[in-house]
Amino acid sequence: VKTYKLRELKKKLKKHSKDFDFQENRGKGGHSLIYHPNINGRSASYPLPSLTGGDDVLQSYYKHIARRFDLPDDFFA
Amino acid sequence: VLILFLAYREFSNASEVIQIMSNGRNYTFTIEALGFYEENQYKAVAVNMDIWGYGRTQKEAFDNMVDLAEAQISFAVQSDNMSLIEFPAEDKYLAMYKKARFSQIASKGGTSTISALKDAVAADLPFNNDKPTEAFAFA
């Protein structure tokens, strides 16, 4: 599985659906947050640990992102 | 599932109360969390939100999870969209959480009554896990 930097992850999600949105500096830890207004009829969001664009996103989070946003099984392959 | 399960060295459950103020209103949320060790790291999950934290220690994993849960709740409150919060973890983690919680009650000499459950959850500190619980089998 490829390791994605935060900015690469955003680009990949945006390519999958232009409706993906990204919030920065959420909460006390300044976390990033992924948001989509319509995943199977309801909005969804998922927070990520505090990262800058050039930081790697921990691979452990890929499956959580995929589940939350109903992404294809091979999305992060 | 069995192979994955055997990799678990220990697990525990805990709860955390998060309070958020927005637009002059106070919101209180209780996170029910499961923690365990797997794949050379500690993991913690808010089972009713499917929000995960990872770390080199139980505390680090739990604290990371709580921080992320706070960010999720804060966003939901500010967006006036509480449906963002409720998202159950996968069934196997819900089952682990139930087992851990019942094991904890049993270790405290309680019974599986609703009041005992409430007492156990209320008394929990993050990863009160001096004695790792015995492994359990999935039904």
Side-chain angles (χ1 to χ4, degrees), chain A residues 15-52:
Chain A
K15 186 177 179 183
H16 180 73
S17 169
K18 61 179 173 50
D19 289 332
F20 271 110
D21 191 20
F22 307 95
Q23 304 274 327
E24 305 294 341
N25 298 316
R26 301 298 312 183
K28 286 186 299 189
H31 304 298
S32 300
L33 190 137
I34 307 168
Y35 172 79
H36 194 286
N38 185 3
I39 301 294
N40 300 324
R42 59 179 281 185
S43 53
S45 61
Y46 200 86
L48 292 173
S50 181
L51 297 169
T52 63

Side-chain angles (χ1 to χ4, degrees), chain B residues 13-17 30-33 47 62 97-98 100-102 104-105 108 113-128:
Chain B
N13 71 312
S15 64
E16 174 82 3
V17 174
T30 300
I31 295 175
E32 296 187 350
V47 292
F62 188 84
Y97 175 76
K98 286 181 180 177
R101 197 163 63 165
F102 276 101
Q104 198 167 49
I105 291 167
K108 291 176 180 175
T113 63
I114 292 174
S115 61
L117 279 171
K118 285 181 178 175
D119 289 345
V121 172
D124 284 337
L125 294 173
F127 290 107
N128 182 9

Side-chain angles (χ1 to χ4, degrees), chain B residues 31-89:
Chain B
I31 295 175
E32 296 187 350
L34 167 75
F36 55 92
Y37 188 88
E38 182 188 53
E39 298 168 342
N40 298 319
Q41 61 183 340
Y42 285 94
K43 303 180 178 183
V45 55
V47 292
N48 50 347
M49 299 174 67
D50 198 32
I51 299 292
W52 290 74
Y54 298 88
R56 289 163 295 182
T57 64
Q58 290 181 346
K59 185 179 187 311
E60 188 175 283
F62 188 84
D63 288 349
N64 286 337
M65 180 275 294
V66 170
D67 280 352
L68 293 178
E70 279 186 345
Q72 177 83 321
I73 292 169
S74 171
F75 180 68
V77 168
Q78 289 173 15
S79 305
D80 195 21
N81 185 358
M82 297 304 186
S83 69
L84 293 170
I85 297 173
E86 187 72 21
F87 194 92

Side-chain angles (χ1 to χ4, degrees), chain A:
Chain A
V1 176
K2 177 187 173 182
T3 297
Y4 292 89
K5 298 186 183 304
L6 182 59
R7 71 168 71 94
E8 294 172 331
L9 175 65
K10 290 178 178 178
K11 189 175 178 181
K12 187 172 179 63
L13 289 170
K14 203 77 175 174
K15 186 177 179 183
H16 180 73
S17 169
K18 61 179 173 50
D19 289 332
F20 271 110
D21 191 20
F22 307 95
Q23 304 274 327
E24 305 294 341
N25 298 316
R26 301 298 312 183
K28 286 186 299 189
H31 304 298
S32 300
L33 190 137
I34 307 168
Y35 172 79
H36 194 286
N38 185 3
I39 301 294
N40 300 324
R42 59 179 281 185
S43 53
S45 61
Y46 200 86
L48 292 173
S50 181
L51 297 169
T52 63
D55 291 339
D56 292 340
V57 177
L58 189 65
Q59 288 192 4
S60 299
Y61 283 100
Y62 296 175
K63 59 179 177 286
H64 309 316
I65 295 167
R67 182 168 186 258
R68 184 63 53 109
F69 297 104
D70 198 21
L71 299 171
D73 290 342
D74 61 351
F75 188 80
F76 289 108

